[in-house]
Amino acid sequence: MDLQSKLPNVGTTIFTVMSRMAAEHGAINLSQGYPDFPVPPELLEKLNEYAQRGENQYPPMHGIAYLREQIAAKLARCYNITADAESEITVTSGATEALFVAIHSVVANGDEVIVFDPAYDSYEPAVTLAGGHTVHIPLNAGDFSIDWDRVRSAVSGRTRLIIINSPHNPTGAVIQRSDLDELADIIEDTRILVLSDEVYEHMVFGSDNHHSIASHPALREQSFVVSSFGKTYHATGWKVGYCVASPALTTEFRKVHQFVTFTTHTPTQWAIADYLEHHPERDEQLPAFYKAKRDLFLKEMQGIGFQMTPSHGTYFQLAAYGNISSSDDVSFVTELTQQAGVAAIPVSVFYESPPEQRLVRFCFAKSDDTLAEAAGLLRRYFE
Ligand code: PMP
Ligand code: GLN
């Protein structure tokens, strides 16, 4: 068969590769990001309740009104943002779908899309399939901040979209309000749009809160903001996300969304809407919950030889390992998984041109016992 791949350089995602390797070798899986603790029991009960009640047929294409209204209420509560539930909020089957659809609704043949490396792995294939080209800008070494001068010089007449992600996977870096001002300055009076991936919005550990793109008046009209309930409710497998954008952008977004998934699992939408309404405190509790896990993990990992700057957000922690191994990061995580019994993610795979410093990413969304056991295995291995 003459099968010319549309994604010749794409293999299986690193998350699938590492989780599979962890399972094959019985390793503790700190690679792919997902919690090993349960979703809130009340949320499970609600899921069952709504399924039993008969909420099992196609919901509206853009999501049930109850959930869109609760998302609007959440945006007002957390960020003081006014978003119209009917014309500006679309429920999607996870953030992955929302990212794919946002890209396909605005990126055309020959358009350029700026991404920051290390970049989450779903961005580039979506751009390629849309006929666009990604322009990669590395985040600054050390603190993984954005070099706005580099962005200015990378912008061209063909630039259509800039994709940002804060809190950032895999580095845990968090953008500041001044970053949003820089971005607004760059896109002012241009056709450039912004796609902001904010799936870790409720996992920020410093005193400063998450800065949603949608809270910046100058960026609001030119941006898609994407988030997901998978992270907030310890339910990554439920795949319910959403996109917030101006009515004009939302119209284009929905034209694509209706032919990708059309809509999203009905009883889960009801359960999440009900839970969001009755437990608004959940979003505020999450940072302390994950900060305690990050701190425990850092403490348990002390003295093994990894160098770790505490993550500012997400449930990921980067670790430099130059002191304990000279292997490249892909070989190193293979060794960790197969020999030490702990799986991690190599960071170089998220770069167009990987930097010199070798890093791996650990997911600390695990029970305290699991984190302690993983650190114990690594300690014994490197002793
Ligand atoms: N963006 C980033 C940065 C992520 O880390 C993830 C998944 N963990 C997603 C998007 C996808 O989210 P979802 O599972 O809701 O599709
Ligand atoms: N986003 C998750 C991570 O970074 C994985 C999601 C996936 O497997 N597609 O680990």
Side-chain angles (χ1 to χ4, degrees):
M1 200 189 346
D2 180 14
L3 183 61
Q4 189 156 15
S5 176
K6 296 183 78 175
L7 295 171
N9 303 321
V10 170
T12 303
T13 82
I14 192 66
F15 307 118
T16 299
V17 169
M18 293 315 302
S19 278
R20 194 185 289 151
M21 194 188 295
E24 273 166 18
H25 291 269
I28 296 180
N29 191 359
L30 304 190
S31 65
Q32 189 178 26
Y34 62 87
D36 74 345
F37 25 84
V39 300
E42 197 186 323
L43 182 54
L44 278 187
E45 279 160 29
K46 286 184 194 296
L47 178 63
N48 187 37
E49 236 172 74
Y50 282 106
Q52 295 286 352
R53 196 180 88 175
E55 301 293 352
N56 300 304
Q57 306 311 325
Y58 291 130
M61 180 270 276
H62 55 314
I64 62 167
Y66 185 19
L67 180 53
R68 284 181 286 103
E69 281 155 15
Q70 289 310 314
I71 293 169
K74 183 196 105 140
L75 293 168
R77 188 169 64 238
C78 296
Y79 310 116
N80 216 3
I81 296 167
T82 313
D84 180 51
E86 192 50 38
S87 62
E88 297 188 302
I89 297 173
T90 309
V91 177
T92 60
S93 298
T96 310
E97 195 228 340
L99 293 163
F100 189 89
V101 168
I103 289 167
H104 277 260
S105 58
V106 295
V107 174
N109 229 4
D111 282 344
E112 290 175 0
V113 177
I114 294 180
V115 298
F116 298 96
D117 286 355
Y120 186 62
D121 70 346
S122 82
Y123 307 152
E124 179 163 89
V127 172
T128 307
L129 288 173
H133 301 289
T134 42
V135 174
H136 292 254
I137 300 179
L139 293 173
N140 289 321
D143 66 355
F144 300 101
S145 58
I146 295 174
D147 181 341
W148 290 107
D149 288 337
R150 278 188 86 151
V151 180
R152 280 192 184 83
S153 34
V155 164
S156 78
R158 311 216 68 145
T159 308
R160 182 59 170 146
L161 190 65
I162 299 179
I163 304 181
I164 61 167
N165 168 217
S166 177
H168 185 256
N169 179 9
T171 69
V174 167
I175 56 169
Q176 307 301 318
R177 183 77 192 179
S178 56
D179 291 306
L180 299 190
D181 293 337
E182 294 270 16
L183 183 57
D185 183 53
I186 289 171
I187 68 167
E188 193 183 1
D189 298 327
T190 70
R191 65 190 278 274
I192 304 172
L193 300 169
V194 176
L195 172 54
S196 182
D197 179 346
E198 305 186 6
V199 299
Y200 300 102
E201 61 182 320
H202 300 304
M203 297 171 205
V204 177
F205 310 132
S207 51
D208 211 9
N209 280 341
H210 169 63
H211 297 286
S212 177
I213 281 272
S215 68
H216 196 287
L219 290 169
R220 173 82 164 81
E221 287 304 300
Q222 279 169 266
S223 305
F224 296 96
V225 174
V226 165
S227 193
S228 169
F229 293 104
K231 325 288 168 191
T232 320
Y233 293 141
H234 308 330
T236 58
W238 284 16
K239 301 297 289 186
V240 182
Y242 59 91
C243 173
V244 185
S246 68
L249 289 180
T250 295
T251 299
E252 293 309 309
F253 184 92
R254 289 179 186 169
K255 284 183 193 172
V256 181
H257 161 74
Q258 64 187 337
F259 298 120
V260 175
T261 56
F262 181 68
T263 188
T264 296
H265 193 256
T266 314
T268 316
Q269 289 195 53
W270 281 96
I272 290 175
D274 187 324
Y275 195 83
L276 246 182
E277 180 181 10
H278 296 103
H279 294 280
E281 76 288 353
R282 166 104 190 164
D283 301 340
E284 288 145 38
Q285 292 165 349
L286 219 55
F289 174 81
Y290 274 115
K291 185 167 186 279
K293 297 227 168 272
R294 179 202 67 179
D295 292 343
L296 174 80
F297 184 59
L298 289 172
K299 187 167 144 268
E300 296 286 347
M301 291 285 284
Q302 257 169 25
I304 300 175
F306 289 97
Q307 287 171 297
M308 300 194 277
T309 307
S311 175
H312 293 285
T314 74
Y315 45 47
F316 302 118
Q317 175 64 52
L318 287 190
Y321 61 89
N323 288 346
I324 44 178
S325 168
S326 54
S327 303
D328 65 78
D329 60 353
V330 174
S331 311
F332 186 64
V333 295
T334 304
E335 179 188 340
L336 287 191
T337 309
Q338 300 184 355
Q339 314 290 328
V342 180
I345 293 287
V347 172
S348 66
V349 302
F350 303 118
Y351 280 90
E352 183 180 55
S353 317
E356 252 171 42
Q357 190 187 33
R358 293 184 306 272
L359 295 162
V360 293
R361 187 198 81 178
F362 292 107
C363 172
F364 55 78
K366 304 294 166 191
S367 73
D368 293 358
D369 287 348
T370 305
L371 293 174
E373 197 186 336
L377 287 172
L378 292 170
R379 187 178 307 282
R380 248 165 282 142
Y381 184 72
F382 288 107
E383 243 164 27

